[in-house]
Amino acid sequence: MLLIGCGGTGEAPQPPPAGTGDPPPDLGAVAAADPGNTLAPDWHRGAFMQVFVRSYQDGDGDGIGDLRGLTSRLDYLRDLGVRGLWLLPIGPSQDRDHGYAVTHYRAVEPQYGTLADLDELLREAHARGIGVVVDYVINHSAAQHPLFVDARAAPTSPWRDWYLWQPLKPVGWTIYGSDPWRANPSGGWYFAAFWDQMPDFDLRQPEVVAWHHDNLRFWLNRGIDGFRLDAVGHLIENGPTAWTDQPETLPLLRDARAVVGGYQRRFLVCEGPNAPTTYAVACGSAFAFGHHARMLEAARGSVAAVQQVAGYFETAPATMATMLANHDSFAGQRVWDQLGGDLAQYRLAAATNLLLSGTPFIYYGEEIGMAGAASLSGDPKLRTPMSWAGDARRGGFTSGTPYRALSANVTTANVAAQQADPDSLLNFYRAMLALRNGLEPLRSGSYEAARADGTVLSFQRRLAGERVVVAINYGRTAADAMLAGLPPDATLQSRHPAGGADLRADAGGSAVVTLAPQSLRVFVHR
């Protein structure tokens, strides 16, 4: 079963082992107690790494990734140039895998570790200048969540109104090819848009919203640096033809943003594929769905896509969260698979994502060209253990047996093989991230003078007296980039590639740079 748009595993979820039931949820109120924040003020404008803890690094040899394993890899992430982590759900869940069927909102999945392990991860990440954002599922819980277990037992349950119920089955509904109204054995019908084991909360109920806010404060008080809110387009339904992106959703998101904004230097990003720019305004940031596919098309040499990429940030908020791919198959396969292993195209796609405006996200393993698992399909294909080494059995991920098949190209696309190779994809990502981290306009500057000429994209990022000029040729033949809007007679210092010649603007503030096939140039003027 594919759980579209909410991080489903694509595998039949399994209940927790008998006798190990999750503890009841903590329903107590949580007052704000900001522990402060030692991160740089603009940490959230650096690049994020999206991490599936279960697949990143196993720290105890049981074949499953965990928080201690992730902590052991923080030096790698710091040296790569990552400034933030987005952790897919880390709480106890009904599927014991990807985590979007939440059974406890204020605890850590036991297979991942403990709250103390999370605290240690936060301390070590913050010491390296890395913020940590966690996934928060506001739309639905697991059917095994204690509140829903009680709610479905009887119409008189005090938690019945926390979920969406009808005494008779509503008609005319279809969401992603299925009827979202599910029969309850003890009577009535409950609403579950994605799967019958993930019932939707009734977010018109103030006490439900208040409880979610308490949950957010629970994590913020521990030092979590923000959240990615899942499936925000589904928070409110107004009927069988009005079940997504409803106007009542936006005040809910603004209120959640206010909770997060009550803490120092925190970050909120939302997932709303149908209306990303609208949600960016409400949440502060949202993933730029659609733009991700166009960047890949531009890398393949599509003239139309180059034009679209050039114009995107002329209207979209500068706070958009950009990406090339993520954990959901509806957003596309691994970048390696989408580009057929074409490393020249891959580098240009990466450069586009990391140098444009917005906050770029990298899906774990993207920086080494990880492929999907040949033996898997659907979402699990995208969520394979990280390829740390070329061992075809374990990939450096675990000392035991990996819980899931490894990536198809683990023997060739792995960290160990690429670390010392100056021409590797990994070191190209490091170079692009070094530019972003070292040049403030690439993090927080304006987006100006964007131009598309066939397969050539050029743009400028400017902040105070510093200007960065980027020119990319996606084509397979040499081409000129026509640059305008520069200071008259300015000398632009070459910053990429190493050894590149400087560029001189004429008296009218124009310059021409010849780009080799499938290449980019980066210049700085101060």
Side-chain angles (χ1 to χ4, degrees), residues 500-520:
D502 292 346
L503 187 66
R504 177 87 176 187
D506 63 21
S510 298
V512 178
V513 58
T514 299
L515 301 169
Q518 294 181 302
S519 70
L520 75 146

Side-chain angles (χ1 to χ4, degrees), residues 60 385 439:
D60 59 12
L439 298 171

Side-chain angles (χ1 to χ4, degrees), residues 292-377:
H292 73 298
R294 289 188 288 270
M295 286 192 287
L296 291 174
E297 283 298 310
R300 293 186 185 99
S302 166
V303 171
V306 174
Q307 186 75 45
Q308 292 170 324
V309 169
Y312 183 77
F313 279 105
E314 291 179 344
T315 56
T319 57
M320 297 302 297
T322 64
M323 62 179 183
L324 297 179
N326 68 13
H327 61 294
D328 279 322
S329 56
F330 82 85
Q333 296 299 307
R334 284 272 185 180
V335 174
W336 177 271
D337 295 321
Q338 291 194 62
L339 296 179
D342 187 316
L343 283 173
Q345 293 178 357
Y346 205 128
R347 288 183 171 90
L348 297 182
T352 308
N353 185 38
L354 297 175
L355 301 181
L356 275 172
S357 193
T359 294
F361 281 70
I362 303 165
Y363 188 38
Y364 79 96
E366 176 189 307
E367 76 278 14
I368 56 171
M370 269 177 60
S375 61
L376 299 175
S377 61

